Amino acid sequence: MSKIIFLDVDGTLIDYDAKLPPTARTAVDKARAAGNKVYICTGCSKAEIMQRELPDLDGMIGANGGYVEDGGEVVMHQSLTKEECTHIVDWCNERHLGFYLESNSGMYYNSYFAEQAPDAFMKYSMGKGADEKAAKEGAYGFVNSMIRTDDLYRDDVNKISFILSSYQDHLDSKKEFPELEANTWGGKGEMALFGDLGPAGITKKHAIEVLLAHLHADQKDTISFGDAKIDLSMFELCANNVAMGNGGDEIKAAADYITDDVNEDGLYNAFAHLELF
């Protein structure tokens, strides 16, 4: 029986320097050739994904579940309203927080982000094992891929990520925006580097449910792969769940199987273990 496979991107399909291990490409290609469907399920929006070197896929879930695409067809797209976006932009600017708007058309950032982002992204990469030189190159490369603009009141924004000056910024965001989904990323608990805000009810789990209904597919045929807490909602739904060896303790505890690190052929070894090709 063919399977429907959902892959987180950073730390799962690609490494934390945004590099695709050759064996990961091979694993996806072989699994699809064997009749399985493979989708990415990521916090990234489409504009960011289009900048990544990824294998051919059957579709994507993006923006932590706000966007669903199958074979080029948009199945679901839930974004922030212009009023919600304006409120978040003003709130971040009042607190002097660097942020970027994640849209399918591009990633747009404010002046504070230009100052704060290189250091934050270096910490993120080094926390995932990159050396200082690679982390610095990756940080500046990521920022340079974005668009600096003062036109930040938009109606096409999937979610907004902002740099935490302290964990209190995340806690305050939950109070300021109770109607939205508030998450953190780039570290565990109070060590998180970023907060993000997106439409209410958006999760990777919900997006998978929407895609399965579109495909007329059965939950029992699903497999998910992840490395972080945000992937736990995938694990709640999918029939079989794999944690990467480089993943955190929470995702490993919830997994049915723990594979090797992303740069130690983790994806390929798990696909082989599950007989996906």
Side-chain angles (χ1 to χ4, degrees), residues 233-248:
S233 69
M234 289 198 296
F235 282 26
E236 292 175 12
L237 177 66
C238 292
N240 203 343
N241 302 289
V242 179
M244 303 302 292
N246 47 276

Side-chain angles (χ1 to χ4, degrees), residues 107-141:
M107 295 178 286
Y108 308 92
Y109 65 89
N110 69 342
S111 58
Y112 297 119
F113 186 83
E115 301 165 9
Q116 300 165 9
D119 182 60
F121 280 109
M122 279 187 66
K123 289 179 180 176
Y124 172 74
S125 295
M126 292 176 72
K128 299 296 186 179
D131 62 40
E132 184 174 355
K133 180 181 178 183
K136 185 174 182 178
E137 290 175 352
Y140 281 96

Side-chain angles (χ1 to χ4, degrees), residues 200-216:
I202 294 301
T203 65
K204 291 185 176 186
K205 175 183 177 181
H206 173 67
I208 292 173
E209 290 172 335
V210 169
L211 180 58
L212 292 179
H214 170 76
L215 296 172
H216 304 290

Side-chain angles (χ1 to χ4, degrees), residues 168-215:
Q168 189 62 44
D169 291 326
H170 165 61
L171 298 178
D172 289 348
S173 77
K174 294 177 70 173
K175 292 180 181 178
E176 183 74 15
F177 305 98
E179 74 284 6
L180 302 179
E181 294 287 343
N183 296 298
T184 63
W185 57 279
K188 293 186 287 186
E190 295 188 10
M191 299 303 293
L193 295 168
F194 296 85
D196 67 39
L197 291 159
I202 294 301
T203 65
K204 291 185 176 186
K205 175 183 177 181
H206 173 67
I208 292 173
E209 290 172 335
V210 169
L211 180 58
L212 292 179
H214 170 76
L215 296 172

Side-chain angles (χ1 to χ4, degrees), residues 87-161:
H87 186 183
I88 299 168
V89 166
D90 288 345
W91 181 81
C92 287
N93 278 331
E94 287 168 4
R95 299 172 76 101
H96 296 184
L97 299 177
F99 65 84
Y100 65 103
L101 313 182
E102 301 180 42
S103 165
N104 287 350
S105 64
M107 295 178 286
Y108 308 92
Y109 65 89
N110 69 342
S111 58
Y112 297 119
F113 186 83
E115 301 165 9
Q116 300 165 9
D119 182 60
F121 280 109
M122 279 187 66
K123 289 179 180 176
Y124 172 74
S125 295
M126 292 176 72
K128 299 296 186 179
D131 62 40
E132 184 174 355
K133 180 181 178 183
K136 185 174 182 178
E137 290 175 352
Y140 281 96
F142 188 62
V143 174
N144 289 338
S145 71
M146 299 180 178
I147 301 166
R148 167 73 180 98
T149 179
D150 293 322
D151 180 22
L152 294 167
Y153 298 158
R154 303 178 64 92
D155 61 3
D156 63 345
V157 176
N158 298 327
K159 63 186 180 79
I160 299 177
S161 285

